[in-house]
Amino acid sequence: MADAVALNRWYGTEVGLGAVVDTMAQLRRSVARTASRTWVMTLVAIAVSDDEAYQATQVLRALGAHHPARLLVVQPQPEAVVGAAGIDASVTIYGTEVDGHPLTFDEVSLWVKGEAARHLDSIVEPFTLSDLPVVVWYPASLPAVSEPLLAKASSVLVDTREAHDVAGLIALAGRRAVVDLSWMRLRPWREMVAALFDPPEFRPYARQITSASIAGKGGPRRLLAGWLGSRLGLSKERMELHDARHARVVLRSGSTASFEVAREEGERLVRASAVIDGEIRHHELLPLPDDSLVWSLSEALTHLGRDRVWQQALAAGVAADAWL
Amino acid sequence: MTLTESTEANPLAAGLDQGRRASPGVLVVFGASGDLTARKLMPAVASLARRRLLPSTFAVVGVARSRMSDDDFRAKLIDAVPDGGPAWAELVKGFRYVAGDYGGADTMQRLKAVLEEVDADRRTAGNRLFYLATVPSVFEPVADALGAAGLNCPARPDAYVRLVIEKPFGRDLASARQLDDALHRNFEEGQIYRIDHYLGKETVQNVLALRFANAIFEPIWDRRYVDHVQITVAEALGVEHRGGFYETAGALRDIVQNHVMQVLSLTLMEPPAMIDAQGIRDEKVKALRAVKIMSIEQVATDVVRAQYEAGWSEGMAVPGYREEEGVAPDSRTETYVAMKLEVDNWRWAGVPIFVRTGKRLPKRVTEVALQFQRVPHLPFAAHESRDLHPNALVLRIQPDEGISLRFGAKVPGQAFEVRDVLMDFSYGAAFLEEPPDAYERLLLDAMIGDPTLFIRSDEVLQSWCIVDPILSAWASKDTPLARYPSGTWGPKQADQLLSREGRRWRTP
């Protein structure tokens, strides 16, 4: 796909939502010679700062290649002074070309001021595409369980990488589909660790893991610990957590066997190995897949359902005080 | 220490949705030094490994006549996947090579020994996928030699042995039966995976999604609404360097018997109870059985064969078929076929199916078009609806995959003028993600043991039953062979096939 270029843009301050929706239709007509995309969802990003909004916008545009969506970036500003309508908005129609097909897609940014910022459900509703899922993404914060917008969301995307208090998230996950981007980024790691126990002769060791050593950065490391703890029945006393730049998981079965997945220093490669009775019984080198935000968001949008294993991992992480 | 095997579930695999991950096994490629292996199979293996769909307990063993060491073979495979990186190089370290005659007992004994070593070294669990990437003439000897060496049966009860073969599956009905007999002498039908890479294409599978995931299309997908169906498989290229092969094949064998029959059966079949191997293949066979077998007289009136002449194709002057390398100057091999098929069942009775395929046509395109009937009465003035045609639903399979629906719409203005508009869904523009290559998809299916997208024996034989009478009728030297200039949509006789019934070919 060629880089998208802005074909037409509009910006309004203190405008009503009706005006924004009408403007969107007018801008579309002005570039009517190009075909609109086939949508599969409405994707709403809730950003709490200009920086966050900018980042989210960049990611959402890149994401369009995999998940054609109407993009809505909402910046709630409850403390801002409200003028005539309380909403500033911009609408941009982008054009691009895919295999010779001219395509357009639109992107709406809304700055919602004052009390309206506490009623984002009513703000988002006019922009949602009928009959298609509404996915709400919180790029850098976790939503309050009482947030009214969540009632409109088919799925909620969050990132627990930097999160401390996830108790509310656990409660929310019990009520609707929540997808954690941090969990998505861990998916290749989980696959590689799980693959060590795929051979039938190694399978019995999975039930006999006596200790685990998990290194990595804060949130993901603790999520990995919660996952291993909940799946293998390991108490927190049998797990060591280390702070490290690159992830590394070592599972030991007494003194007889150890299973390790570790990133190669300085390379995007992961080495997986199994040592049993002092003998290397398995050795594998795997490329580390993309772990960019675009990739993890794309993965999240591909796996929008509820994930009980993640819920259990999150809960186990909290129970083990791993989230403190 | 002796490791004890366990069949209990891997607790860490929960939630990882690894149903489509291959189990341990060896891919044994006959024809390992050939073009298909380097160009298609190894890039597919590397991509599967990159996507972590292959287990670490996987290996490739190449078999070919060329003398090569294991290291030479590995170096060749590394060259075949230039973007494989260190992980591919690491995986390839466990691959092996056996040189020898394909059907030789000695070759099979050495292969057997190598496979046992690989099982021990790579823990491939006795699972074998034999892939015959060879010329068809060695299918039988290889199958027999595998059988004689006992390699056709799993060495352990929980292991699998499967055989993958590439088209062509015979040259006619008799030779297809002979090949089938040879394969079945050594392998159960459930072990045989016949590849037509067309079925690995995402958009061919999308025909099933369109038909059976949507309530709005199926009710009009029959004789009550459809006037006729057109299937086009057009190629812009000529025979290129394959003249020698093409002389022994022709468009009917090369395209119609396999690709066209597969697309045809997916288009005409009844809804299966389940989208699985038995459900889909049972319905495809039923659809093929309903296609009327032609008499010699019908072949004369309903089938057109033709050969391309020199002309202009995609802006270049190109030679005629008979001037191509490896082609006899008096060749009567057809490079183009157009035909009218009839289907004897409740759904399609009276709906003609027009098929055309050819080389050196104006562009490369594969599509299925359902042309709907005209409305019973047009309530518009003739001059206001002169540009209106019957509705058409077009399934574009390649290269611009998608679906378009032609319908009438009012032209803005004071008059009530109605004209055709095209509502277009472009698969690639909606989901820009690159789908897996057809070989990657099919190779993984074969390793997993999912034969849904492979062709069953009865499908092959039924396709030949449809095509064989045409081949027999053409055996006579008196059969007309039309000519068409390169870069055109075929001979005028093909146009007459439709125009005599008041219809005409679409221009894709």
Side-chain angles (χ1 to χ4, degrees):
Chain A
M1 181 172 81
D3 284 346
V5 292
L7 299 176
N8 218 333
R9 179 171 279 154
W10 171 87
Y11 179 79
T13 53
E14 294 298 331
V15 291
L17 283 184
V20 182
V21 173
D22 289 349
T23 301
M24 194 162 63
Q26 280 170 21
L27 292 185
R28 279 210 150 280
R29 277 199 291 276
S30 73
V31 291
R33 295 292 166 215
T34 52
S36 61
R37 291 283 297 277
T38 306
W39 310 116
V40 300
M41 70 180 78
T42 302
L43 183 49
V44 184
I46 307 297
V48 295
S49 67
D50 287 342
D51 269 359
E52 217 175 272
Y54 176 77
Q55 300 283 348
T57 306
Q58 299 298 311
V59 170
L60 293 179
R61 268 179 223 159
L63 196 69
H66 303 278
H67 302 280
R70 170 171 286 175
L71 308 177
L72 195 60
V73 179
V74 181
Q75 210 173 317
Q77 298 175 325
E79 311 305 327
V81 177
V82 178
I87 291 173
D88 296 345
S90 78
V91 179
T92 309
I93 309 290
Y94 287 94
T96 186
E97 196 177 278
V98 178
D99 297 335
H101 289 283
L103 295 172
T104 64
F105 61 94
D106 41 34
E107 179 186 282
V108 179
S109 295
L110 299 171
W111 291 262
V112 183
K113 295 176 269 188
E115 191 57 24
R118 303 186 209 287
H119 301 278
L120 294 183
D121 51 334
S122 66
I123 302 288
V124 164
E125 181 87 47
F127 296 96
T128 57
L129 296 160
S130 58
D131 294 336
L132 289 174
V134 177
V135 179
V136 180
W137 174 36
Y138 291 85
S141 57
L142 298 184
V145 181
S146 57
E147 167 59 58
L149 178 59
L150 296 177
K152 302 288 176 196
S154 322
S155 301
V156 181
L157 309 186
V158 296
D159 195 334
T160 60
R161 180 167 52 186
E162 307 288 341
H164 293 287
D165 182 6
V166 294
L169 193 62
I170 291 171
L172 179 65
R175 302 213 307 253
R176 61 186 62 250
V178 176
V179 184
D180 181 357
L181 302 194
S182 188
W183 185 243
M184 289 297 123
R185 282 189 293 272
L186 287 175
R187 184 182 170 90
W189 285 88
R190 289 185 284 129
E191 286 176 347
M192 287 185 268
V193 175
L196 284 174
F197 299 96
D198 270 346
E201 64 271 31
F202 291 174
R203 196 74 55 82
Y205 290 103
R207 297 284 179 203
Q208 297 161 18
I209 298 299
T210 50
S211 68
S213 167
I214 301 142
K217 291 176 186 165
R221 179 187 67 215
R222 291 161 190 154
L223 201 50
L224 265 181
W227 172 60
L228 291 167
S230 59
R231 302 313 305 168
L232 301 177
L234 294 174
S235 63
K236 67 175 182 177
E237 290 76 21
R238 288 156 69 190
M239 286 191 281
E240 297 168 24
L241 305 188
H242 307 281
D243 204 24
R245 188 160 157 257
H246 292 318
R248 178 169 177 258
V249 173
V250 184
L251 301 174
R252 292 188 190 83
S253 177
S255 58
T256 57
S258 83
F259 300 85
E260 179 174 348
V261 175
R263 181 169 169 180
E264 292 284 281
E265 192 61 45
E267 292 192 70
R268 290 196 58 79
L269 289 170
V270 177
R271 199 167 287 279
S273 60
V275 178
I276 296 169
D277 292 332
E279 188 185 339
I280 298 174
R281 303 297 292 258
H282 169 84
H283 181 262
E284 189 180 10
L285 199 59
L286 297 155
L288 189 66
D290 186 3
D291 59 357
S292 67
L293 184 54
V294 174
W295 178 87
S296 53
L297 197 56
S298 178
E299 280 292 288
L301 293 173
T302 309
H303 301 92
L304 281 176
R306 289 186 185 201
D307 186 341
R308 305 267 177 227
V309 177
W310 169 73
Q311 285 178 256
Q312 289 164 358
L314 193 62
V318 171
D321 288 338
W323 291 92
L324 292 176
Chain B
M1 174 188 166
T2 306
L3 301 180
T4 311
E5 295 194 0
S6 167
T7 54
E8 68 178 297
N10 179 351
L12 296 176
L16 284 173
D17 186 24
Q18 292 185 305
R20 293 201 55 78
R21 192 165 187 268
S23 50
V26 187
L27 171 65
V28 183
V29 182
F30 287 86
S33 59
D35 184 50
L36 181 68
T37 304
R39 206 164 42 84
K40 291 288 183 189
L41 297 183
M42 289 308 119
V45 168
S47 180
L48 289 171
R50 195 162 41 239
R51 292 171 192 243
R52 299 183 305 284
L53 296 172
L54 289 183
S56 58
T57 48
F58 167 83
V60 171
V61 174
V63 183
R65 294 192 185 103
S66 313
R67 295 277 152 212
M68 246 192 299
S69 66
D70 285 339
D71 284 341
D72 293 340
F73 180 57
R74 291 167 189 149
K76 200 173 158 67
L77 299 191
I78 288 170
D79 289 347
V81 187
D83 59 349
W88 174 239
E90 179 83 9
L91 182 66
V92 164
K93 277 181 190 168
F95 294 4
R96 303 286 300 275
Y97 183 77
V98 175
D101 287 335
Y102 291 124
D106 172 55
T107 307
M108 293 302 162
Q109 286 311 316
R110 281 184 289 121
L111 173 63
K112 199 172 184 176
V114 167
L115 287 172
E116 283 165 7
E117 288 170 27
V118 171
D119 275 345
D121 294 345
R122 305 283 286 190
R123 302 190 316 284
T124 41
N127 292 322
R128 285 114 177 67
L129 183 68
F130 294 110
Y131 197 117
L132 272 50
T134 61
V135 290
S137 57
V138 301
F139 287 174
E140 281 190 45
V142 170
D144 284 338
L146 286 169
L151 286 166
N152 56 339
C153 299
R156 36 194 278 188
D158 57 344
Y160 69 76
V161 172
R162 299 182 187 124
L163 179 75
V164 180
I165 64 169
E166 288 262 348
K167 79 166 180 89
F169 313 118
R171 285 185 43 76
D172 50 26
L173 181 59
S175 59
R177 282 198 173 122
Q178 187 188 327
L179 173 62
D180 234 27
D181 290 345
L183 296 177
H184 287 150
R185 269 201 306 273
N186 301 289
F187 294 88
E188 302 288 330
E189 176 59 24
Q191 293 179 282
I192 304 169
Y193 287 64
R194 297 175 190 81
I195 276 197
D196 180 337
H197 71 272
Y198 245 56
L199 287 177
K201 288 179 185 290
E202 200 88 350
T203 41
V204 172
Q205 297 161 44
N206 204 31
V207 174
L208 296 173
L210 176 85
R211 289 193 57 195
F212 305 131
N214 299 291
I216 59 168
F217 298 117
E218 203 52 25
I220 56 169
W221 205 275
D222 63 22
R223 64 188 302 279
R224 290 173 303 163
Y225 294 94
V226 177
D227 176 76
H228 70 279
V229 178
Q230 292 187 20
I231 297 176
T232 301
V233 180
E235 292 176 71
L237 293 176
V239 292
E240 309 297 300
H241 58 278
R242 296 170 68 230
F245 157 75
Y246 204 80
E247 278 286 88
T248 64
L252 191 66
R253 288 189 177 98
D254 193 36
I255 303 290
V256 176
Q257 187 276 330
N258 37 71
H259 301 333
V260 167
M261 288 300 157
Q262 287 302 313
V263 173
L264 177 93
S265 57
L266 289 170
T267 306
L268 303 185
M269 67 188 255
E270 294 297 318
M274 287 287 290
I275 297 287
D276 61 13
Q278 185 170 355
I280 289 181
R281 299 194 299 180
D282 282 354
E283 294 302 339
K284 279 166 65 188
V285 172
K286 271 167 62 184
L288 290 173
R289 282 196 185 126
V291 175
K292 203 166 165 182
I293 306 298
M294 287 190 205
S295 63
I296 289 182
E297 293 73 29
Q298 276 176 307
V299 172
T301 58
D302 290 353
V303 184
V304 174
R305 63 194 298 242
Q307 209 176 59
Y308 64 80
E309 295 178 313
W312 284 83
S313 174
E314 298 182 326
M316 289 176 65
V318 293
Y321 177 67
R322 291 178 178 179
E323 285 91 60
E324 299 274 19
E325 181 191 332
V327 174
D330 58 348
S331 170
R332 289 182 55 78
T333 301
E334 81 286 356
T335 62
Y336 177 97
V337 182
M339 63 175 76
K340 175 187 167 186
L341 296 170
E342 294 171 289
V343 184
D344 286 342
N345 64 18
W346 275 47
R347 185 185 283 264
W348 296 112
V351 178
I353 315 291
F354 296 101
V355 167
R356 65 177 160 173
T357 182
K359 290 192 173 292
R360 285 275 185 246
L361 300 185
K363 59 180 172 184
R364 172 177 165 258
V365 59
T366 300
E367 66 167 38
V368 179
L370 275 73
Q371 177 90 45
F372 291 91
Q373 292 170 13
R374 292 182 180 280
V375 293
H377 167 66
L378 259 185
F380 311 104
H383 71 277
E384 288 177 332
S385 58
R386 61 179 173 269
D387 292 331
L388 191 65
H389 294 91
N391 299 132
L393 181 68
V394 181
L395 317 181
R396 299 189 307 270
I397 290 170
Q398 66 177 12
D400 176 23
E401 297 89 345
I403 297 159
S404 53
L405 178 66
R406 182 176 70 196
F407 61 95
K410 183 184 177 300
V411 178
Q414 300 297 334
F416 209 106
E417 198 174 333
V418 185
R419 64 176 305 168
D420 291 336
V421 293
L422 208 60
M423 189 161 68
D424 194 38
F425 165 74
S426 174
Y427 198 63
F431 305 104
L432 305 185
E433 198 162 9
E434 279 292 311
D437 172 74
Y439 275 94
E440 192 180 324
R441 167 70 201 248
L442 294 172
L443 204 50
L444 182 61
D445 281 359
M447 290 181 201
I448 289 171
D450 179 358
T452 308
L453 299 178
F454 294 83
I455 305 170
R456 211 167 56 189
S457 166
D458 49 357
E459 284 182 74
V460 174
L461 296 181
Q462 195 56 39
S463 299
W464 279 118
C465 285
I466 296 166
V467 165
D468 224 36
I470 303 172
L471 287 171
S472 302
W474 285 355
S476 158
K477 283 204 181 309
D478 301 331
T479 315
L481 178 69
R483 302 298 184 88
Y484 60 102
S486 289
T488 67
W489 281 107
K492 64 178 187 307
Q493 290 88 333
D495 295 338
Q496 289 159 359
L497 198 61
L498 277 79
S499 63
R500 71 188 185 198
E501 299 178 355
R503 299 179 172 108
R504 63 179 187 182
W505 290 108
R506 285 173 34 77
T507 304

